[in-house]
């Protein structure tokens, strides 16, 4: 257990509304990630962070922004949600000194 | 760029059958390789890993060997159980920079169904 929680776990929102998903970790890991999981695509990296206020884009970053103002929290924001952003979102951390990642329980987001 | 290719399934087997899920990759540098498992309604769990060529990762009866010459990391288990039913993902480290800190590249996942 890497001490990762995500909130909310489920959310339904309407097209055009802003949405923020939160990832919280308790073990002071430096690297944090946001992925989305869609049928037929596996997991795809949205954004990642390598420290407080240090973030970078992943493979599918359009329409998403992130913030990390403290080590334990990594926020993913959809500024104006679209139906194509209906997905399951996973947060992950990288354990220090390795490349393996540990995942949170996921947030199922539905945009209607 | 980096990529991972795996059979998507569903793969349906009877209990106690031998399992192979193929995984091949394309990568720059020397990536680490992983298998993750996802049970219904849950997040991904690390199943096993290998960090260099010829390494064998193993866990819970599953094994996979890092084959650099064939760029493969096939998952095997000698005798599957109903409880092994899940989606299995092959992944590699080493993003655009070649390092692992900028995220994993995943295959699309293989849905495994084990029938009693």
């Amino acid at each position: 257990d890497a001490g990762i929680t995500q909130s909310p776990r489920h959310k339904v929102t309407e097209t055009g509304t802003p949405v923020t998903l939160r990832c919280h970790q308790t073990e002071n890991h430096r690297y944090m990630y946001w992925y989305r999981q869609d049928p037929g695509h596996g997991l795809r990296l949205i954004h990642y962070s390598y420290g407080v206020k240090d973030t970078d884009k992943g493979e599918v970053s359009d329409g998403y922004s992130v913030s990390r103002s403290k080590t334990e929290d990594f926020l993913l924001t959809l500024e104006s949600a679209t139906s194509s952003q209906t997905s399951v979102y996973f947060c992950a951390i990288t354990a220090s000194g390795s490349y393996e990642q540990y995942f949170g329980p996921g947030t199922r987001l539905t945009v209607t | 760029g980096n990529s991972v290719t795996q059979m998507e399934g569903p793969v349906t087997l009877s209990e106690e059958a031998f399992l192979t899920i193929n995984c091949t990759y394309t990568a720059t540098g020397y990536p680490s390789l992983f298998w993750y498992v996802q049970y219904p309604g849950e997040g991904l769990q690390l199943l096993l890993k290998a960090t260099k060529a010829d390494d064998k990762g193993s866990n819970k009866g599953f094994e996979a060997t890092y084959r650099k010459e064939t760029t493969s990391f096939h998952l095997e288990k000698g005798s599957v159980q109903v409880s092994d039913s899940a989606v299995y993902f092959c992944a590699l480290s080493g993003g655009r920079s070649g390092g692992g800190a900028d995220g994993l590249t995943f295959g699309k996942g293989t849905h495994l169904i084990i029938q009693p």
Side-chain angles (χ1 to χ4, degrees), chain A residues 85-101:
Chain A
Q85 294 176 311
T86 292
S87 186
V88 180
Y89 291 86
F90 287 100
C91 175
I93 60 92
T94 293
S96 298
S98 75
Y99 293 140
E100 60 203 61
Q101 293 188 3

Side-chain angles (χ1 to χ4, degrees), chain A residues 10 16 20 47 54 83-84 88-89 102 108 111:
Chain A
H10 301 272
T20 296
H47 281 278
D54 291 323
S83 59
S84 65
V88 180
Y89 291 86
Y102 295 91
R108 182 173 296 276
V111 183

Side-chain angles (χ1 to χ4, degrees), chain A residues 17-65:
Chain A
T17 60
V19 177
T20 296
L21 308 182
R22 178 181 183 239
C23 177
H24 179 78
Q25 54 128 338
T26 60
E27 299 183 2
N28 209 34
H29 295 292
R30 178 181 173 191
Y31 295 95
M32 299 183 74
Y33 309 81
W34 278 108
Y35 292 87
R36 60 178 288 175
Q37 182 180 20
D38 304 289
H41 290 278
L43 275 79
R44 293 177 291 174
L45 182 66
I46 305 171
H47 281 278
Y48 64 100
S49 170
Y50 45 96
V52 173
K53 297 186 180 179
D54 291 323
T55 64
D56 204 351
K57 296 179 179 180
E59 177 188 358
V60 291
S61 60
D62 287 348
Y64 301 95
S65 62

